[in-house]
Amino acid sequence: MASEELINGLGIAGTVLVFFMLCAQLPAMWTVVFRTKSVENLSVLPTIGQLMNFTAWTLYGIEVNDASVLQSNVIGIFFAVGYLCVFTTYSKPQSRHRLLKLLGIVCAVFGAVEIAIFLAVTDKDTRVTALGSVSVICAAIMYGAPIKQCYYALTKLDPSAVPALLTVANALVSADWLAYGVLKSNWFIAVPQAAGIFFGVIQLGIAGYINVRVRGDPSLTKRETKEEENEKSPVTCVTTCVTTFPASGNEPVNIVASV
């Protein structure tokens, strides 16, 4: 079995990497949100997935008494809540309503499952298995959540929709926790991290493909931008007033027409 020093070192490194991974989202937030004052081009699903994932692993860390798992995911919860506050603040009223409704449904379902496990499952080993299973599912949802953003990046040929720094940070976090889980023979931790590496490689491939396409033909992004501007351009309304004289000799009538 691996030494405790190595496992503890991986745990500390994992916590640090999680912190930097979450900080890696700040440049994208600053560029897209704080400059445009809008989050319409960002998907909130990855952030909701992060909140579920970090909360599930926090509860799992408490149950198995794993300080490394606990502290890294508590940090994640604070960041996820902060990013959700940004989404809520800069969303349009209709989008904000949908966001809060979706968040309420997700939290209600997730909370009901976790509470049911703690109340209904009395055997500790069974409870650990149940909490670990929920955590694996939440991790899978988190890693799969950026699919919509990847689709947007491919259709719009927008590399900023798949931030390279954040994707690399995610892959490094997954690699570290994969090693941690394998060395501790904890497959609840190891298996989803392998999926995280897989999805990270796919996202980097998409970002690389978009960059190659854009460099080969810079007009692609200009064409996309022009199409978006045309879609957003308001229809000009020209109002004309036509005066008609009825044959009956009554007062003239003004007819207003808009084109």
Side-chain angles (χ1 to χ4, degrees), residues 16-30 50 75 79 83 165-166 169:
V16 174
L17 286 171
V18 165
F19 176 77
F20 281 110
M21 177 199 72
L22 294 165
C23 289
Q25 299 181 38
L26 291 173
M29 280 285 184
W30 178 263
Q50 282 183 344
I75 293 172
F79 270 89
Y83 287 135
L165 178 61
L166 178 58

Side-chain angles (χ1 to χ4, degrees), residues 36-116:
T36 64
K37 304 300 182 182
S38 172
V39 292
E40 300 305 312
N41 289 334
L42 291 178
S43 174
V44 73
L45 295 179
T47 306
I48 293 177
Q50 282 183 344
L51 179 61
M52 291 173 54
N53 177 73
F54 291 133
T55 305
W57 284 108
T58 296
L59 296 174
Y60 177 81
I62 293 173
E63 187 64 27
V64 299
N65 194 28
D66 191 320
S68 296
V69 171
L70 181 60
Q71 62 193 12
S72 63
N73 286 284
V74 167
I75 293 172
I77 290 174
F78 280 108
F79 270 89
V81 170
Y83 287 135
L84 284 174
C85 289
V86 172
F87 272 100
T88 304
T89 302
Y90 290 99
S91 292
K92 294 179 180 178
Q94 187 175 2
S95 299
R96 185 182 301 118
H97 176 74
R98 288 198 301 266
L99 166 60
L100 293 175
K101 183 178 179 180
L102 174 62
L103 188 60
I105 293 172
V106 169
C107 290
V109 173
F110 176 78
V113 171
E114 294 286 355
I115 291 172

